[in-house]
Amino acid sequence: VKVQTMWCALESVFTGGDIAKQLPKEAKKFAKVDKDWAKIMIKASQCRNIVECCADELLQNTIPTMYAELEKCQKSLEGYLEQKQKAFPRFYFVSNAKLLTILSQGSDPLAMNAYYENVFDAIQYVEHDKKDKTIIHKIHGDGGDGHEVIPFIKPVKAVGNIEDWLTTILNTMRLTLKYHARSCAAGVFEARSDPSN
């Protein structure tokens, strides 16, 4: 049961996607376990007697080895997640399941729109360039109809590692809000010093 549970948890991570590319050694280990697991399941479905099936010596020798390999894959995955969290600390506030989903879709910037609320406060989604989906022009705040839309002072290029371009979004957002705050403050100062008001 432990092997089945761990296999189920790791299957979606290591069978394709960006994470499998980032952890090729672990993906290869998992592929071997996956192949062995499939053989065991086929053999188990052919055997009609559960006691006979579980008494199989090959099964008794294979399962502990598979579990040990899956544990190694799990530990590597946890190290990988920790590395990503250190690179972009806002990932610490996202559950591991959601973080795995975010990281597995990292090469598609549009897929991130479903998860901005988990990573940033009050950001519902970002607006991408119509011709080039890797260019981000605006952030859209929470609030339904009439929500805030803030154009960046310079577009953000969403290429490379997801934690890198999310950091760029964060820094650009800060610079944009500072710019708008200064502009508003200057406008208020001008209005107060204008004798015609």
Side-chain angles (χ1 to χ4, degrees):
V1 174
K2 287 181 180 177
V3 172
Q4 182 180 6
T5 304
M6 194 174 285
W7 176 83
C8 285
L10 296 174
E11 184 199 18
S12 62
V13 174
F14 287 113
T15 53
D18 291 348
I19 296 174
K21 291 174 191 167
Q22 300 263 339
L23 299 169
K25 195 165 84 174
E26 288 75 14
K28 192 174 180 181
K29 276 184 196 176
F30 183 82
K32 185 187 179 326
V33 171
D34 187 44
K35 189 176 170 185
D36 293 344
W37 182 254
K39 285 179 187 175
I40 288 171
M41 291 297 104
I42 290 169
K43 197 171 185 180
S45 70
Q46 293 169 347
C47 184
R48 292 286 178 212
N49 186 332
I50 190 72
V51 176
E52 272 182 44
C53 185
C54 292
D56 183 4
E57 194 174 308
L58 181 64
L59 181 69
Q60 291 175 357
N61 293 333
T62 307
I63 293 289
T65 305
M66 290 172 70
Y67 186 70
E69 289 299 310
L70 288 172
E71 276 188 321
K72 288 177 188 175
C73 290
Q74 179 72 33
K75 285 196 188 310
S76 294
L77 183 60
E78 287 170 5
Y80 172 76
L81 292 178
E82 180 71 24
Q83 175 189 349
K84 296 296 183 178
Q85 288 168 328
K86 284 181 181 175
F88 188 68
R90 288 174 179 253
F91 281 157
Y92 282 111
F93 302 106
V94 179
S95 71
N96 281 354
K98 274 200 178 140
L99 182 54
L100 285 171
T101 304
I102 290 169
L103 294 173
S104 68
Q105 299 175 350
S107 60
D108 180 12
L110 292 174
M112 184 60 197
N113 267 333
Y115 302 100
Y116 281 109
E117 290 179 299
N118 301 110
V119 180
F120 296 104
D121 286 336
I123 294 182
Q124 191 170 8
Y125 63 95
V126 299
E127 196 172 305
H128 294 263
D129 190 88
K130 291 186 185 350
K131 293 179 183 170
D132 183 357
K133 70 178 183 176
T134 63
I135 297 174
I136 300 170
H137 291 288
K138 300 174 184 176
I139 53 176
H140 288 257
D142 287 341
D145 291 340
H147 65 269
E148 278 188 294
V149 178
I150 302 172
F152 285 139
I153 54 174
K154 62 180 182 177
V156 172
K157 191 93 166 135
V159 291
N161 291 330
I162 191 167
E163 66 274 13
D164 295 336
W165 59 264
L166 285 174
T167 300
T168 304
I169 285 177
L170 179 64
N171 293 335
T172 305
M173 185 171 52
R174 287 176 178 158
L175 288 171
T176 299
L177 293 176
K178 280 182 185 177
Y179 168 80
H180 289 302
R182 281 191 189 112
S183 177
C184 289
V188 168
F189 180 74
E190 275 182 41
R192 284 189 177 167
S193 59
D194 186 359
S196 64
N197 284 340

